[in-house]
Amino acid sequence: MGRKILTEHINVPGINTLEVYRKMGGYRSVEKALKTMTPEEVVEEVKKSGLRGRGGAGFPTGMKWSFLAKPEGKPRYLVCNADESEPGTFKDRVLMEKIPHALIEGMITSSYALGARTSYIYIRGELMFVLRILEKAIAEAYASGLLGENILGSGYSLDLHVHPGGGAYICGEETALLESLEGKRGNPRNKPPFPAVQGLYACPTVVNNVESIASVPWIVNNTGEEYAKIGVGRSTGTKLISAGGHINKPGVYEIELGLPVEEFLFSDEYCGGIWKGRQFKAIVAGGSSVPILPAQLFLKTAEGTPRVMTYESLSEGGFVSGTMLGSGGFIVMDDTTCIVRNTWNFSRFYHHESCGQCSPCREGTGWMEKILHRIEHGHGHMHDIDLLVNVSKQIEGNTICPLGDAAAWPVASAVRHFREEFEWHVKHPEAATQPGAVYRGAEVASLV
Amino acid sequence: MDNTTTINDIQFSDAAMAEIQRYISHYPPDRKKSAILPVLHIAQAEFGGWVSSQVQDKVAEILGIAPIEVYEVATFYTMFNLKPVGKHVLEVCRTGPCMLRGADQLIEHLEHRLGCKVGETSADGMFTLKTVECLAACGMGPMLQIRETYYENLDPDSTDKLLDDMRNE
């Protein structure tokens, strides 16, 4: 049983209330930070912890905080990115829904460290029921002096608000999120300037993921050094993994980074193995935007090293034979999965969610979706497969924000690892009209 | 709401106006525009599940911004319905993990039961069927959302019961 930092008390009855949360030791970090530490000391602890952004990018949180510009006369903001919309990822939703005070405690302690007097939680609009839970918890915090003027008599004041989005995946990109929070379309901004210099309302701003912020109280309570002792190498601490797809036990699991991927996928403590007694075919391990891997390359690297749950291990081999931990959104596929259909589904998602600001993304995502649609539906040509790869290369790296990369990688990696399956679809257009027709390998290619 | 409706005919309830003012207070006084998404959500709930151009004009008036600023936002974010919808809007997640767990079959089942296709409203005006992209329920698919409630791990029987319950609501 791995150590739990974020979810230790998640199943305690009433943990969503302030009373029970405090009984379980909640809000100790606010007391400690505001009464015994300077903001700089809090930042230093987070730097020592090695905590990396849990939204997917994995950038060191403490370093991001230290970039915050500190000019006099301008307010500074902390904005929590709770716009979780990445297919495969639902960890932040569960955390906020079950234990909302964990995020609020993290927001207060982190805001103090950053010198923010007003902070926002930008939550995806579809999660209105979670927004209500958070607002209720925030009201409890205000009523007990944990928010508002002169928190716990410390002299520090903070207002915290929840802001609903409107159903746009792109608003998970930090600058698009800020545009949206300012009441505009969620079009990403060019960087630089980065939000740390010109963020919300052109003021210095830090944008952090829910899980990152919720990890700060433990770090403040137990020190950054203790946090850094958990995990492996530069992958310190614990990580929430949301697991879905063809597994026996879908759900959100907190793991210590460094856990063997095989143990996570097959042990009863976690995913419980592939459902219905089927074979493990492929996985997307970090949310839909990361490269897909065939089962054998997920469990072991191309060199034969068993993979573990760390940023470094999962990316070993680069995009040729590796992937990314990303947001920790596991999408597991059994041997009945059609990779072409799955790739088309993801491609449709990115086409739908492109904000349309950059031509390569706006046009390219639609182009890829159309090609994949015709291959999947029995109208593809062999040259379409290379065309797909070419289009993905024209998008990758050529857009203002990473959505272009996110759209390109799933397609390029699917062709890289499952090219035979794409070719089989082209050779067997009749498969498109037969439910259950799935490629099962070159030797046994047949309609089932 | 028809073409003769004017902005003067649009009146939020007292409770809705109080909620709007609460949201506006969350932002700096010179940044009222920040409240545009929360206010559009309130407006959609208040006026039959969609935001007409007149309603959008009213939102602009409340926030002290030009109507075009509301139009460009309302058309960008997919949660806002720009045409009338049925009494209940069924939003089925069709993306990756939900597809793997049967979203396509759920959509087919709903089309059959409702007698309408995705994007359409049932003949009795009760249900509008929509597909949406990822609702952060990836371990609990197939699923759908109705207003603020998620219905997860659906199968044909539980889906039928849900429809019956909604009809009898």
Side-chain angles (χ1 to χ4, degrees), chain A residues 14-77:
Chain A
I15 194 65
N16 59 323
T17 65
L18 181 65
E19 182 187 358
V20 175
Y21 184 72
R22 291 203 84 165
K23 273 185 191 162
M24 292 293 118
Y27 287 102
R28 279 192 297 125
S29 76
V30 175
E31 293 258 9
K32 182 177 179 182
L34 272 56
K35 292 185 175 177
T36 70
M37 299 170 76
T38 65
E40 292 75 18
E41 286 171 336
V42 179
V43 174
E44 196 55 32
E45 288 303 323
V46 174
K47 283 170 95 170
K48 285 180 194 166
S49 74
L51 174 68
R52 294 166 68 170
R54 302 301 196 216
F59 190 81
T61 303
M63 191 181 295
K64 189 173 188 178
W65 286 12
S66 66
F67 292 156
L68 193 66
K70 296 180 174 61
E72 294 301 320
K74 267 192 173 182
R76 272 166 267 163
Y77 292 101

Side-chain angles (χ1 to χ4, degrees), chain A residues 19 99 108 135 173 190 290 321 348 382 389 407 418 422:
Chain A
E19 182 187 358
I99 189 164
I108 299 168
E135 288 202 324
E173 195 280 333
N190 272 310
V290 311
S321 57
R348 183 175 64 184
M382 270 313 166
V389 176
F418 297 95
F422 285 81

Side-chain angles (χ1 to χ4, degrees), chain A residues 15-349:
Chain A
I15 194 65
N16 59 323
T17 65
L18 181 65
E19 182 187 358
V20 175
Y21 184 72
R22 291 203 84 165
K23 273 185 191 162
M24 292 293 118
Y27 287 102
R28 279 192 297 125
S29 76
V30 175
E31 293 258 9
K32 182 177 179 182
L34 272 56
K35 292 185 175 177
T36 70
M37 299 170 76
T38 65
E40 292 75 18
E41 286 171 336
V42 179
V43 174
E44 196 55 32
E45 288 303 323
V46 174
K47 283 170 95 170
K48 285 180 194 166
S49 74
L51 174 68
R52 294 166 68 170
R54 302 301 196 216
F59 190 81
T61 303
M63 191 181 295
K64 189 173 188 178
W65 286 12
S66 66
F67 292 156
L68 193 66
K70 296 180 174 61
E72 294 301 320
K74 267 192 173 182
R76 272 166 267 163
Y77 292 101
L78 171 63
V79 178
C80 174
N81 184 347
D83 191 59
E84 185 175 61
S85 312
E86 175 96 349
T89 311
F90 53 104
K91 64 187 178 69
D92 294 340
R93 168 203 158 182
V94 171
L95 194 65
M96 292 186 288
E97 189 179 353
K98 301 284 186 189
I99 189 164
H101 284 286
L103 174 60
I104 296 166
E105 180 180 359
M107 287 297 289
I108 299 168
T109 307
S110 304
S111 297
Y112 171 72
L114 297 168
R117 299 303 169 111
T118 304
S119 294
Y120 295 97
I121 299 170
Y122 183 106
I123 189 166
R124 61 176 302 177
E126 290 90 341
L127 296 181
M128 215 47 104
F129 60 100
V130 181
L131 178 144
R132 311 268 181 233
I133 291 169
L134 283 171
E135 288 202 324
K136 188 176 174 190
I138 287 171
E140 285 184 302
Y142 267 106
S144 63
L146 289 159
L147 281 170
E149 293 293 317
N150 192 21
I151 295 170
L152 302 176
S154 65
Y156 175 65
S157 304
L158 175 69
D159 282 315
L160 177 62
H161 306 297
V162 189
H163 179 98
Y169 168 74
I170 188 60
C171 291
E173 195 280 333
E174 62 178 4
T175 60
L177 183 152
L178 295 174
E179 287 286 295
S180 181
L181 188 47
E182 291 181 2
K184 293 175 270 186
R185 299 168 79 106
N187 287 336
R189 300 172 181 171
N190 272 310
K191 293 190 281 192
F194 290 90
V197 178
Q198 278 189 40
L200 184 63
Y201 310 134
C203 296
T205 302
V206 165
V207 183
N208 280 148
N209 173 256
V210 171
E211 187 185 347
S212 311
I213 291 172
S215 299
V216 170
W218 194 96
I219 293 166
V220 169
N221 288 332
N222 298 278
T223 75
E225 284 93 341
E226 283 302 308
Y227 189 87
K229 287 177 185 171
I230 308 169
V232 175
R234 290 176 56 237
S235 294
T236 62
T238 65
K239 174 89 188 79
L240 295 179
I241 304 291
S242 36
H246 295 153
I247 51 173
N248 285 316
K249 293 169 58 186
V252 174
Y253 299 98
E254 183 172 10
I255 59 148
E256 289 188 30
L257 286 166
L259 182 78
V261 295
E262 192 160 351
E263 185 179 339
F264 180 71
L265 198 50
F266 291 103
S267 76
D268 287 338
E269 186 182 347
Y270 300 107
C271 300
I274 309 302
W275 73 348
K276 302 180 181 178
R278 292 177 182 160
Q279 295 298 305
F280 176 30
K281 179 175 183 176
I283 189 167
V284 175
S288 64
S289 60
V290 311
I292 188 172
L293 276 186
Q296 68 275 14
L297 272 180
F298 175 68
L299 298 172
K300 287 185 179 177
T301 65
E303 285 72 40
T305 312
R307 286 199 199 270
V308 295
M309 304 281 275
T310 63
Y311 294 93
E312 292 75 22
S313 179
L314 284 171
S315 62
E316 198 174 334
F319 283 178
V320 175
S321 57
T323 181
M324 298 164 74
L325 179 59
S327 60
F330 269 43
I331 306 170
V332 180
M333 290 163 242
D334 71 19
D335 57 349
T336 67
T337 307
C338 172
I339 296 297
V340 177
R341 188 171 187 80
N342 191 68
T343 310
W344 166 52
N345 185 291
F346 283 159
S347 205
R348 183 175 64 184
F349 171 84

Side-chain angles (χ1 to χ4, degrees), chain B residues 38-147:
Chain B
V39 175
L40 279 170
H41 281 296
I42 294 166
Q44 182 155 286
E46 186 88 341
F47 299 109
W50 69 296
V51 285
S52 65
S53 58
Q54 294 95 331
V55 167
Q56 292 177 57
D57 290 346
K58 189 70 178 181
V59 170
E61 182 184 87
I62 290 169
L63 295 177
I65 56 180
I68 185 64
E69 295 178 86
V70 181
Y71 302 160
E72 64 182 13
V73 165
T75 54
F76 181 82
Y77 296 92
T78 55
M79 288 187 73
F80 302 114
N81 298 309
L82 305 176
K83 294 187 294 188
V85 293
K87 183 179 177 187
H88 304 292
V89 180
L90 311 182
E91 298 183 289
V92 185
C93 175
R94 65 177 182 178
T95 318
C98 276
M99 180 196 76
L100 292 175
R101 295 184 76 93
D104 290 347
Q105 290 77 18
L106 175 62
I107 293 164
E108 277 179 28
H109 183 76
L110 283 166
E111 286 182 333
H112 174 68
R113 289 303 306 262
L114 301 177
C116 65
K117 294 289 183 187
V118 169
E120 297 175 351
T121 299
S122 59
D124 60 4
M126 286 289 286
F127 298 103
T128 295
L129 180 61
K130 291 174 69 176
T131 53
V132 295
E133 299 292 352
C134 194
L135 288 173
C138 312
M140 292 75 101
M143 60 81 66
L144 60 81
Q145 180 174 25
I146 304 174
R147 292 200 200 99

Side-chain angles (χ1 to χ4, degrees), chain A residues 290-294 319 322 408-419:
Chain A
V290 311
I292 188 172
L293 276 186
F319 283 178
W409 292 341
V411 174
S413 59
V415 174
R416 181 184 307 125
H417 296 299
F418 297 95
R419 189 178 186 101

